[in-house]
Amino acid sequence: MSKIIASAAIRGAYKIVAQAQEQWQRAMDKFGAKEPVGFPNTAYYLPVIYGMLGAKVEKLGDMESILKRCKQILPAPVKENHPLPYLGPALDAGMATLFAEELIEAVRYLEKPDFYTKGEDISDRSIWLGAADDVILRKRGVEFVDGTAPGFAAILGAAPTKEIASKIAQELQQKNLYVFMSGEYNGKRFSEQLLEAGVQIGWPTRLVSFGPDTTATVFAMGFATRAALSFGGIQPGDFRKILIYNKDRIFAFALPMGFVSDEWYATAAGAINFGFPVIADTPIPEILPTGICTYEHVVSNIAHENLVAKAVEVRGLKVNLASVPIPVAYGAAFEGERVRGEDIYLECGGGRTLMCEWVTSKRMSEVEDGKVEVIGPELKDVPAGSKLPMAICVEVAGREMQEDFEPILERQVHHLINYAQGVMHIGQRDIAWIRISKQAVEKGFKIKDLGIILHAKLHQDFGRIFDKLQVKIYTNETDVKEKVERAREVYKHRDTRIEGMTDETTDIYYSCTLCQSFAPSHVCVISPERTGLCGSYNWMDCKASFEINPTGPNQPVPKLETIDQKLGQWTGVNDFVNKASRGKIDHYNFYSIIYDPMTTCGCCECIAAVLPMCNGIMTVNRDFPGMTPSGMKFTTLAGTIGGGLSTPGFVGHGKYNITQRKFVKGDGGISRIVWMPKMLKEEIGERFSQRAAELGYPDLLNQIADETVGTTEDAILPFLTERNHPALSMPSII
Ligand code: SF4
Ligand code: ZN
């Protein structure tokens, strides 16, 4: 390693550790050793420290031993004639820097609780988002799982101009990367430059303004550490595995922009520990030989227009760039972008006008591949701020095409359209909702481009199952009305097909191993009455997905012999799970939370837990941030059981699954549910009450407690007793 870099990194580490020491001492004098500290809404404490050392920093007093540790690993400053190689000491200095930076940021949270917004979006009060909480980690982690986000770029400092900043950000977005921003150069910050250039920043657009100081870079490293702990199922303290996991799976790199200070060198040395290389725009010394990182460690003096390409090359990232011939940028990073108020040029659906999306198969002779028609007004025919009805009808033909594939293709419409910059899409079927921004229209975007996107992308991703595809987009009242009515009949027909199926009516279930890239021992087996715990895959979807991609993540699993009818266990499923988990899990039950339940990974929609005192179970959905009667919030529950294990007493499941007839059937079924958040009750209420009525408990939903009744077992028990909840008279649950 270059001596200059090593000396600077070590000098920087000394400065940051000293800063942490000083700020900690000041906080101790003011608050005392017992004062609780930490990042908001997380089960991972100060994550880099927790991951690397296994140490839980919960109180101010806990920081003392971490500071001691920092000083222990700080290497001696590099002397003029140093005989040793520099890499090891510099990496240690980098690690001490990250620990100290976490302490500094935790003290900041204590002293200025409102400094960061603590959410996905910036607000009027602050543009700094601070540490990602566990809800954000899970949600975004899924994107790392399914490959829609290969990694992140950590940008320190600022670009020479706001135009260059926005160009670099857009280039990174188009490669589907997250952009984590921190630090300052020349009185400017990259996040502020983007805002000045009118770019939307925040988690939804993947442009994450972590914080104004260099120390906020540690939030990026904390995110990477938690990804390894949560999705990789790695134990806290197993630092080697965490670092290797990141090097192999998270395609991240650091882009210092501007003068590289000692503190930046120190922080960058911390990142190199994770295998994240550094690509600088200034002429700092390079470290080209490989070792810790996949390719080079430090590459410097790269011109701004080549920065992103160089970073991608050095990190060894292969990006399939979608070539979609439309006049706006296109990529997964634009999925979360919103179009609001003044910015709206056209709005369709969303309860304001009629809208539907419908994929249907046609005969070969009826489809002209690539033909896109707009029947009714185009954007140029209506003024800004207009509303129109819309029916997007996609017609496909091909020898391999089947009716079962139609909903699979239809489900793609949402994200494919959302990927276009300046276009927002919500929902599907006849509750779809679309907004097109003025900015997109200014760039030349047309309604017709929606069809061009669907043609290009569906061909690219699903070309194997059809030969030809054409799109008709109706925007006139009469046609839309007619299409919506016809589409509704088709939706109904599709729903009754899966609704009518039971686990007994098929000998084949389907696996999903999509989450194994992050939770290696996790295997979902999906039956007609148990959809995937992420809520995204039902049995039909898996079946179609297997036919579309026979070597993909959804494989048929023959049930074979029944081992336990009541709990839902079969020899064929066990064999499959054993193999797919590489011997980690050799059996599980479909319908029980108590006896060897299914494995749970980080992306479950809900987590159920046994409440022994109430003789029942509770379940909580990811979107509910509050405390639950299990004594844990969703995030803590997920952190405890979400690593791909089977944990008796707890199980992850989809929202829809609650209203499927086999839900915890082996433990007594839905009449065991004694607590759910109010929002979940409302969301699934209608179907839930139908199921409950079938079981003879028409009023069950009202007998179930929620957070307005209480969030401890003690607090809800009187309510359950008063309402005569059926669980209280059921056999003992444990
Ligand atoms: Fe992950 Fe299971 Fe959903 Fe597949 S079905 S994506 S394995 S949670
Ligand atoms: Zn998962």
Side-chain angles (χ1 to χ4, degrees):
M1 176 181 252
S2 143
K3 185 162 154 185
I4 299 173
I5 292 191
S7 336
I10 294 170
R11 267 197 316 271
Y14 271 92
K15 287 188 207 169
I16 290 176
V17 172
Q19 186 192 341
Q21 172 78 36
E22 187 195 314
Q23 295 186 348
W24 171 72
Q25 196 58 59
R26 199 182 56 215
M28 282 287 278
D29 295 344
K30 192 164 161 203
F31 300 97
K34 292 215 173 64
E35 185 69 20
V37 287
F39 297 159
N41 200 10
T42 176
Y44 299 93
Y45 310 94
L46 301 185
V48 177
I49 293 170
Y50 184 52
M52 295 298 135
L53 305 174
K56 301 175 181 175
V57 175
E58 293 173 274
K59 301 198 173 66
L60 259 184
D62 299 338
M63 291 186 176
E64 190 168 9
S65 64
I66 307 296
L67 281 165
K68 239 186 229 145
R69 195 64 192 259
C70 288
K71 288 173 205 153
Q72 276 165 7
I73 55 176
L74 271 182
V78 176
K79 297 208 190 72
E80 253 329 294
N81 299 308
H82 203 296
L84 298 169
Y86 306 111
L87 185 58
L91 290 177
D92 288 346
M95 209 36 109
T97 303
L98 297 182
F99 296 164
E101 288 179 337
E102 265 190 344
L103 299 181
I104 292 168
E105 290 295 343
V107 169
R108 189 197 315 252
Y109 268 105
L110 174 64
E111 291 180 331
K112 297 185 188 151
D114 292 331
F115 188 84
Y116 293 119
T117 66
K118 301 186 198 123
E120 288 219 317
D121 290 295
I122 62 170
S123 68
D124 296 341
R125 196 173 41 76
S126 172
I127 67 159
W128 307 115
L129 302 174
D133 68 11
D134 287 356
V135 179
I136 296 174
L137 174 78
R138 301 285 167 175
K139 186 161 149 199
R140 303 297 163 181
V142 175
E143 296 175 348
F144 287 86
V145 174
D146 66 18
T148 53
F152 63 82
I155 294 187
L156 282 106
T161 66
K162 64 175 198 263
E163 288 77 22
I164 294 177
S166 84
K167 203 171 151 277
I168 289 174
Q170 181 162 327
E171 251 185 278
L172 291 164
Q173 282 178 304
Q174 276 183 301
K175 299 208 158 33
N176 303 333
L177 294 156
Y178 276 86
V179 182
F180 293 160
M181 301 172 281
S182 56
E184 165 258 353
Y185 170 60
N186 232 351
K188 290 238 167 269
R189 297 178 173 95
F190 202 84
S191 313
E192 293 165 342
Q193 291 181 311
L194 293 182
L195 279 179
E196 280 168 30
V199 177
Q200 268 183 41
I201 65 172
W203 281 98
T205 51
R206 303 192 178 187
L207 302 173
V208 181
S209 46
F210 268 140
D213 301 330
T214 307
T215 48
T217 316
V218 80
F219 295 140
M221 309 315 292
F223 187 86
T225 305
R226 286 148 74 203
L229 293 173
S230 129
F231 299 106
I234 300 173
Q235 289 306 308
D238 197 343
F239 62 90
R240 233 188 95 80
K241 277 204 185 134
I242 294 174
L243 298 177
I244 291 174
Y245 183 93
N246 271 285
K247 170 177 171 274
D248 292 345
R249 291 179 200 244
I250 309 276
F251 288 91
F253 45 86
L255 296 178
M257 303 194 63
F259 174 75
V260 180
S261 65
D262 290 352
E263 286 88 342
W264 282 17
Y265 273 118
T267 306
I272 292 175
N273 275 293
F274 286 74
F276 301 162
V278 178
I279 293 89
D281 64 346
T282 51
I284 60 174
E286 300 199 318
I287 306 180
L288 298 180
T290 70
I292 310 293
C293 303
T294 308
Y295 301 104
E296 296 90 343
H297 291 132
V298 178
V299 182
S300 72
N301 211 13
I302 304 297
H304 292 112
E305 55 273 27
N306 302 331
L307 206 54
V308 174
K310 188 72 194 172
V312 164
E313 174 199 323
V314 171
R315 187 61 182 96
L317 173 64
K318 294 190 181 47
V319 197
N320 306 323
L321 259 197
S323 58
V324 181
I326 53 169
V328 295
Y330 189 84
F334 304 104
E335 193 177 8
E337 170 205 35
R338 272 151 268 189
V339 179
R340 290 201 190 99
E342 278 298 289
D343 292 335
I344 305 173
Y345 192 97
L346 177 74
E347 182 166 36
C348 310
R352 289 152 175 83
T353 67
L354 266 186
M355 179 159 182
C356 76
E357 289 162 1
W358 177 25
V359 173
T360 185
S361 345
K362 293 268 171 187
R363 272 195 294 268
M364 286 291 255
S365 59
E366 293 172 309
V367 179
E368 183 185 324
D369 188 48
K371 185 169 168 194
V372 179
E373 288 171 276
V374 176
I375 303 138
E378 231 317 340
L379 286 170
K380 65 173 173 33
D381 306 322
V382 295
S386 295
K387 294 187 196 341
L388 282 175
M390 183 178 279
I392 301 178
C393 301
V394 179
E395 301 178 340
V396 289
R399 254 160 299 155
E400 307 291 324
M401 188 59 201
Q402 300 175 18
E403 201 186 321
D404 284 350
F405 299 162
E406 293 170 3
I408 304 276
L409 295 176
E410 201 174 279
R411 194 142 4 107
Q412 314 302 319
V413 173
H414 163 69
H415 71 267
L416 294 182
I417 288 184
N418 238 350
Y419 281 8
Q421 192 179 29
V423 183
M424 184 177 96
H425 185 283
I426 294 173
Q428 15 62 38
R429 291 187 168 182
D430 57 342
I431 56 166
W433 181 8
I434 195 166
R435 279 177 175 175
I436 299 173
S437 74
K438 285 180 184 160
Q439 290 86 336
V441 177
E442 267 160 36
K443 288 186 186 145
F445 192 85
K446 299 190 188 63
I447 291 178
K448 186 171 180 183
D449 289 314
L450 299 173
I452 291 175
I453 293 170
L454 294 175
H455 173 258
K457 288 298 291 173
L458 286 172
H459 253 302
Q460 200 176 0
D461 300 346
F462 293 91
R464 184 149 19 149
I465 57 168
F466 62 83
D467 301 319
K468 300 201 275 184
L469 182 147
Q470 67 188 16
V471 185
K472 293 178 182 151
I473 303 174
Y474 300 89
T475 55
N476 69 76
E477 200 69 44
T478 335
D479 281 330
V480 172
K481 211 157 166 248
E482 188 221 314
K483 299 296 164 201
V484 168
E485 271 160 28
R486 283 179 50 196
R488 278 185 183 147
E489 307 225 321
V490 176
Y491 304 149
K492 208 161 146 200
H493 169 70
R494 286 184 199 157
D495 289 344
T496 44
R497 287 184 56 208
I498 182 82
E499 275 292 291
M501 283 191 68
T502 66
D503 286 359
E504 288 76 32
T505 53
T506 174
D507 293 327
I508 306 274
Y509 294 161
Y510 286 91
S511 65
C512 185
T513 46
L514 216 53
C515 287
Q516 283 202 338
S517 55
F518 278 84
S521 63
H522 176 67
V523 191
C524 274
V525 178
I526 294 162
S527 67
E529 292 181 282
R530 199 183 196 287
T531 57
L533 51 81
C534 58
S536 318
Y537 292 85
N538 71 26
W539 184 88
M540 275 297 183
D541 301 330
C542 294
K543 178 171 179 281
S545 150
F546 169 67
E547 282 166 52
I548 292 167
N549 180 6
T551 55
N554 304 113
Q555 293 294 315
V557 180
K559 280 153 69 178
L560 305 182
E561 308 299 316
T562 302
I563 298 175
D564 194 320
Q565 181 67 45
K566 185 167 160 232
L567 300 177
Q569 197 184 132
W570 299 269
T571 53
V573 174
N574 286 350
D575 290 347
F576 185 93
V577 171
N578 191 17
K579 240 182 263 145
S581 70
R582 290 165 209 88
K584 275 243 168 103
I585 310 285
D586 59 9
H587 70 286
Y588 59 44
N589 293 312
F590 274 48
Y591 315 138
S592 180
I593 173 174
I594 300 170
Y595 305 102
D596 305 329
M598 263 198 198
T599 55
T600 299
C601 70
C603 48
C604 52
E605 281 189 305
C606 304
I607 296 177
V610 169
L611 298 179
M613 215 171 117
C614 301
N615 202 35
I617 65 166
M618 56 149 271
T619 188
V620 57
N621 51 312
R622 173 186 303 280
D623 337 286
F624 180 72
M627 187 41 87
T628 78
S630 66
M632 288 180 266
K633 294 178 183 176
F634 181 92
T635 48
T636 320
L637 283 165
T640 316
I641 69 157
L645 299 173
S646 166
T647 316
F650 301 88
V651 75
H653 59 87
K655 286 180 188 171
Y656 183 79
N657 185 225
I658 306 173
T659 58
Q660 290 183 294
R661 290 181 182 82
K662 294 286 198 308
F663 183 67
V664 298
K665 193 95 204 315
D667 310 320
I670 54 169
S671 46
R672 280 285 188 193
I673 302 179
V674 296
W675 190 94
M676 276 196 271
K678 199 158 184 265
M679 65 200 285
L680 183 59
K681 277 188 183 174
E682 280 162 12
E683 190 176 330
I684 62 168
E686 204 182 312
R687 277 178 54 87
F688 187 89
S689 290
Q690 285 170 13
R691 288 295 91 80
E694 287 168 13
L695 299 171
Y697 304 110
D699 202 31
L700 186 59
L701 199 60
N702 295 321
Q703 292 167 303
I704 296 176
D706 56 36
E707 71 277 14
T708 62
V709 177
T711 51
T712 61
E713 285 204 69
D714 280 318
I716 64 170
L717 192 54
F719 172 91
L720 301 173
T721 315
E722 189 223 323
R723 302 246 164 145
N724 198 17
H725 191 292
L728 299 180
S729 45
M730 287 169 80
S732 172
I733 194 161
I734 39 173

